[in-house]
Amino acid sequence: MPKVIYYVASSLDGFIATEGNSLDWLLDFGFASFQDHYDQFIAGVGALIMGAQTYEWIRREQPDTWDYGELPCLVLTHRELQAPAGSGVRFASGDPGPVLEQARALAGDKNIWVVGGGDVAAQIADAGLLDELWVTYMPVALGAGRPLLPVSSPTGRMHLIGTTSFNGGAAELRFARG
């Protein structure tokens, strides 16, 4: 059965962006050593879910491109936003359960990637709908910023299902619930 996976990079102290939503600290590491791993991950993804802040950040950083092509992408928002031409971007609002059902229908037999946005991932985790958490810890501490997974209550125990180390000191830990 396809899984709902929060796949994200984090600082050692548990932040996915600075307080000003900057990812410069992450971009400084480059992506060459991660590309093959990412390509394998994205090949198993049939739909994306992201929050409006993540979507708007991507659009600001890359106003003329959309890296996810026609891959279905549900953006959680209560505002009117514009989708890039030729993209699979759709806008949704409401509880994570119905939105995930829509994403499952779009994903077919592939996984759903919860992109960026710790708040969206936390809503999904709080609803008991997050199957796996894949965190690549980067060898840097930020001291403050956007938290990795700001859940409103304990998730229950997650189990380590895999690890990957990368050149430059980054390490990915993969956890599954239950």
Side-chain angles (χ1 to χ4, degrees):
M1 176 177 201
K3 298 174 185 153
V4 177
I5 302 171
Y6 180 32
Y7 176 78
V8 66
S10 174
S11 65
L12 292 173
D13 52 349
F15 298 105
I16 61 172
T18 66
E19 288 178 328
N21 290 325
S22 173
L23 294 180
D24 290 346
W25 63 274
L26 176 60
L27 300 175
D28 285 345
F29 286 95
F31 290 102
S33 63
F34 305 98
Q35 192 64 52
D36 288 342
H37 190 72
Y38 172 80
D39 290 345
Q40 290 174 0
F41 172 78
I42 197 71
V45 171
L48 313 171
I49 293 180
M50 67 178 66
Q53 287 185 3
T54 299
Y55 176 75
E56 289 176 315
W57 184 89
I58 291 169
R59 299 300 297 144
R60 269 193 313 275
E61 294 297 311
Q62 301 175 348
D64 300 324
T65 62
W66 180 250
D67 288 342
Y68 308 109
E70 294 180 11
L71 192 63
C73 176
L74 295 171
V75 177
L76 298 175
T77 185
H78 295 288
R79 295 175 281 142
E80 288 205 22
L81 300 171
Q82 295 296 316
S87 73
V89 173
R90 299 169 176 139
F91 301 100
S93 62
D95 293 333
V99 174
L100 273 173
E101 286 309 310
Q102 184 180 358
R104 284 186 202 286
L106 294 167
D109 62 351
K110 291 187 171 188
N111 295 323
I112 299 165
W113 175 16
V114 180
V115 180
D119 291 337
V120 169
Q123 289 174 40
I124 293 169
D126 283 338
L129 301 171
L130 184 66
D131 298 312
E132 295 184 5
L133 172 63
W134 296 26
V135 184
T136 300
Y137 286 98
M138 305 304 287
V140 63
L142 298 179
R146 299 292 184 160
L148 170 65
L149 191 63
V151 294
S152 62
S153 60
T155 62
R157 183 174 217 147
M158 297 189 89
H159 301 280
L160 184 66
I161 58 171
T163 62
T164 303
S165 59
F166 298 98
N167 292 335
E172 178 186 78
L173 303 179
R174 294 182 301 279
F175 298 93
R177 70 180 167 116

